[in-house]
Each structure stands twice: as C-alpha cells, then as structure tokens.
Amino acid sequence: MSKIDHSLFNANQHALEKEYEVCPQCGCELVVRHSKNGPFLGCAAYPKCDFIRPLHQHDTAVLKVLDDNPCPECDSPLAVKNGRFGMFIGCTNFPQCHYIADQKQQQPEQNLVTCPKCHDGRLTKRSNKYGKTFYSCDAYPKCKYSLNYEPVAHACPQCDWPVMVKRNLAGGPVLQCPQKSCGHKQAENVES
C-alpha cells in the first residue's frame, strides 16, 4: 500500500482546470468555477469581468434528414435531430427557420382524466428526455400533480380518491390507488 500515489486520487480539482483559455471580454485567463448548478468556466478577473460560459456545450446533431417531408414554413426538408432535451423533428434550414414539429400533433387524442388534486386540469401523457413516460396535470406550474402509471377515472373503493392507476403485475393487470397511505389494489376488470 505504500507504493500508491495518493495525489492521483485528489478530487479537489476538475480535469479541465489545467487547460487555459483566454476571456474574450478582457483577455484574462478562464478558470473552472463551481456553483450549486455544477461547474462552469468564468473569468479569473471576477468581479471586474463577469464573463461566464457553460463547461459543456449542448450541440444539436442531425441524425437523419427526411427528404420526403418538407418544412411547412420554408419548404426545406425536415430532419430528426438530437438536442439538449432529447430527440425532435426540426427544419434543416436552422437558424433561418425555427420550425419544430409539435409532438402533440403526432399523437392521437387520448382519454384525458381530470386532475384529482386541482380539478381544473387534465392528466396528459408526457415523456422525459430519456423516453420514460409519465402523466402530469396540464395546468402546470399551478398544479404539479403527476403519476408514473396510466390514470383511470375510477374512484378507489377504500379511500374514495377519484383516480386509480393501471399497472401490469405478475398476477395480471390491476388498478391501484396512487395514494401512498392507501395502496389499494383490485383486478382491472372489476367495476363498482
């Protein structure tokens, strides 16, 4: 154990701190700074110079050009792109044309369930940038209610919560109460 160089395991410095760049505003050196949101590049002459830049650049990559689908705004071909928030369909004539295909247009209208928390919105199917689907209230940010499984407008017979979720378990499909304090389960085909 005495032959281990412990300086290799020092986690106080970032790997890019040895790479020197020049601030475009004042010409001083750029250094890696840390905040609650993570590391970033900032000018060493701070607070005299307030230049900052993200450490990671989020470039959009074109995965496939869809030659047979023209852009409705400028007639350039559309393309499947991968960006900061996942995959999307956008115009190849960017930055002159900012068209992005609306995913709501591509999906058929589903049976929307009224939000049990605010009673104003409806629970709509959404997906995060990793492709995981969830159901959240469309009155966001006023209401932040969300579910991980498909909601069903069926009141829980045990606690009277107006929504249950559809789950596929080993014993077959069931309806389960989303309230943590209840957790009631019943077969999906049971009607009350």
Side-chain angles (χ1 to χ4, degrees):
M1 295 302 276
S2 63
K3 294 183 181 181
I4 295 177
D5 185 7
H6 292 285
S7 65
L8 296 175
F9 298 99
N10 187 0
N12 293 333
Q13 292 183 330
H14 193 275
L16 295 177
E17 286 186 12
K18 299 296 182 193
E19 185 176 314
Y20 299 107
E21 292 184 46
V22 177
C23 175
Q25 287 182 1
C26 69
C28 287
E29 175 183 329
L30 290 180
V31 293
V32 176
R33 305 262 184 198
H34 301 280
S35 73
K36 66 179 181 179
N37 297 326
F40 63 95
L41 286 174
C43 184
Y46 180 81
K48 292 179 185 176
C49 178
D50 61 353
F51 177 79
I52 60 171
R53 188 182 79 205
L55 193 59
H56 304 288
Q57 297 295 328
H58 298 285
D59 294 331
T60 301
V62 175
L63 301 177
K64 182 178 180 182
V65 176
L66 306 171
D67 292 322
D68 55 341
N69 292 332
C71 174
E73 293 180 5
C74 70
D75 290 328
S76 296
L78 294 177
V80 178
K81 299 180 177 185
N82 192 8
R84 181 176 184 181
F85 299 107
M87 292 177 50
F88 64 96
I89 297 176
C91 184
T92 56
N93 195 18
F94 181 83
Q96 287 75 25
C97 178
H98 291 277
Y99 175 77
I100 295 176
D102 188 11
Q103 293 178 350
K104 293 178 184 175
Q105 292 174 348
Q106 299 167 358
Q107 298 173 351
E109 189 65 31
Q110 63 236 18
N111 186 13
L112 300 177
V113 177
T114 303
C115 178
K117 192 168 185 180
C118 70
H119 303 289
D120 291 333
R122 299 210 176 260
L123 297 176
T124 58
K125 184 177 182 180
R126 300 179 187 268
S127 63
N128 64 12
K129 68 179 181 178
Y130 302 109
K132 181 172 172 37
T133 58
F134 64 96
Y135 298 83
S136 67
C137 183
D138 61 2
Y140 180 85
K142 186 179 93 173
C143 177
K144 296 180 181 177
Y145 186 76
S146 67
L147 296 169
N148 289 330
Y149 301 101
E150 183 180 351
V152 177
H154 179 56
C156 177
Q158 195 167 15
C159 69
D160 292 328
W161 188 251
V163 172
M164 293 184 80
V165 293
K166 189 186 301 186
R167 296 196 57 192
N168 291 320
L169 301 178
V174 297
L175 293 178
Q176 181 177 358
C177 182
Q179 296 294 96
K180 289 182 182 179
S181 59
C182 179
H184 174 74
K185 293 179 189 172
Q186 68 184 32
E188 184 180 1
N189 54 6
V190 174
E191 297 293 327
S192 59

